[in-house]
Amino acid sequence: MRIFVKVKPGSKISKIEKIDESHFSAFVKAPPVEGKANDELISLIADYFKVPKSRVKIASGFTSKNKVVEIG
């Protein structure tokens, strides 16, 4: 499955909001430094979809707020 995520780093709380079937907004506490926000995003998505973190990959947008995430 492929989803599109808009990430907002440095938020007060970590959460995911569903916009439609394939678009989500993610709020992460971690700053966008050294991949910390990406790591927290992967953990949030894994918890949301109840899959192991190893099955969640950022397909594109590593340094962008708009990311394409694959869940396998």
Side-chain angles (χ1 to χ4, degrees):
M1 173 175 32
R2 184 174 277 210
I3 61 170
F4 302 91
V5 183
K6 183 168 187 177
V7 181
K8 297 177 183 166
S11 298
K12 292 187 179 196
I13 57 171
S14 295
K15 67 177 181 175
I16 293 182
E17 292 180 352
K18 186 174 183 177
I19 297 170
D20 62 33
E21 289 302 313
S22 62
H23 291 83
F24 294 82
S25 287
F27 300 85
V28 295
K29 290 181 182 179
V33 179
E34 298 174 0
K36 291 180 183 178
N38 287 341
D39 292 342
E40 187 174 339
L41 174 66
I42 289 171
S43 295
L44 269 177
I45 291 173
D47 289 344
Y48 184 85
F49 287 100
K50 296 176 178 48
V51 298
K53 288 192 284 187
S54 61
R55 297 187 58 195
V56 178
K57 280 190 209 174
I58 298 174
S60 67
F62 293 100
T63 58
S64 171
K65 289 184 179 186
N66 297 311
K67 302 183 186 299
V68 178
V69 179
E70 291 182 350
I71 302 166

